[in-house]
Amino acid sequence: VINVDSFVRVVLEASVEPVDTLPPGTLYCFNVKGTGFLWHQVRCMASVLLMVGRHEEPPTVVATLLDIVRCPGKPSYAPASEQPLVLYDCGFEPPLQFVAQARPLANAWAAYQRMWAAAAHTFVLSTLFLGALDALPVVHTLSGAERKPGGPAAEVVPLLESRTRTHKENLARKER
């Protein structure tokens, strides 16, 4: 059962900032603050920003998508992966007070240290492998096409030319 009365949400702040603990241009953080969010809303926002960042869409597409007269439904595109998204603050008033017990806190700390070590290992290996791949000569296929970084280019349909679904169509789809 869908209990959403309104699909209007208020975004109070949004920013894209480089993560300064890594080399410049390596990783960015999308921070968004609002009064509430719809299902997959932040993932969809991140997906559009990624398309703009990859030059698959012009930056003006953001303003166009926010104009519900020009774009009354959501274009057809996949939301960004949930894996790197982190909810780190809910901003409840008055603020919630969390109290940690020593053993569970130590266990959580140890678990995150293991995760960090595994991620650092993967990062170093990936960097080495990417460097080795970049050093390889250009490979020609039978058709004579050159290898392109990132693999073959997929056909990209601009967002504003893709099929859109209205909120009612999305609700009907979820209810099935």
Side-chain angles (χ1 to χ4, degrees), residues 39-52:
W39 181 257
H40 289 188
Q41 180 180 352
V42 173
R43 289 178 60 193
C44 288
M45 293 165 66
S47 185
V48 171
L49 291 177
L50 286 169
M51 286 184 249
V52 170

Side-chain angles (χ1 to χ4, degrees), residues 16 44-65 77 156 158-160:
V16 177
C44 288
M45 293 165 66
S47 185
V48 171
L49 291 177
L50 286 169
M51 286 184 249
V52 170
R54 290 190 300 250
H55 304 286
E56 296 169 0
E57 292 289 337
T60 56
V61 77
V62 175
T64 303
L65 290 172
Y77 63 92
V156 176
L159 283 177
L160 300 177

Side-chain angles (χ1 to χ4, degrees), residues 38-116:
L38 296 169
W39 181 257
H40 289 188
Q41 180 180 352
V42 173
R43 289 178 60 193
C44 288
M45 293 165 66
S47 185
V48 171
L49 291 177
L50 286 169
M51 286 184 249
V52 170
R54 290 190 300 250
H55 304 286
E56 296 169 0
E57 292 289 337
T60 56
V61 77
V62 175
T64 303
L65 290 172
L66 291 172
D67 183 345
I68 61 173
V69 173
R70 287 180 62 192
C71 191
K74 178 189 170 291
S76 180
Y77 63 92
S81 170
E82 76 280 358
Q83 191 264 337
L85 299 180
V86 177
L87 172 65
Y88 64 90
D89 188 8
C90 289
F92 291 109
E93 292 294 334
L96 295 176
Q97 297 292 320
F98 292 98
V99 178
Q101 295 178 344
R103 181 172 294 294
L105 184 60
N107 290 343
W109 184 257
Y112 279 105
Q113 283 179 319
R114 288 190 299 274
M115 284 173 42
W116 179 88

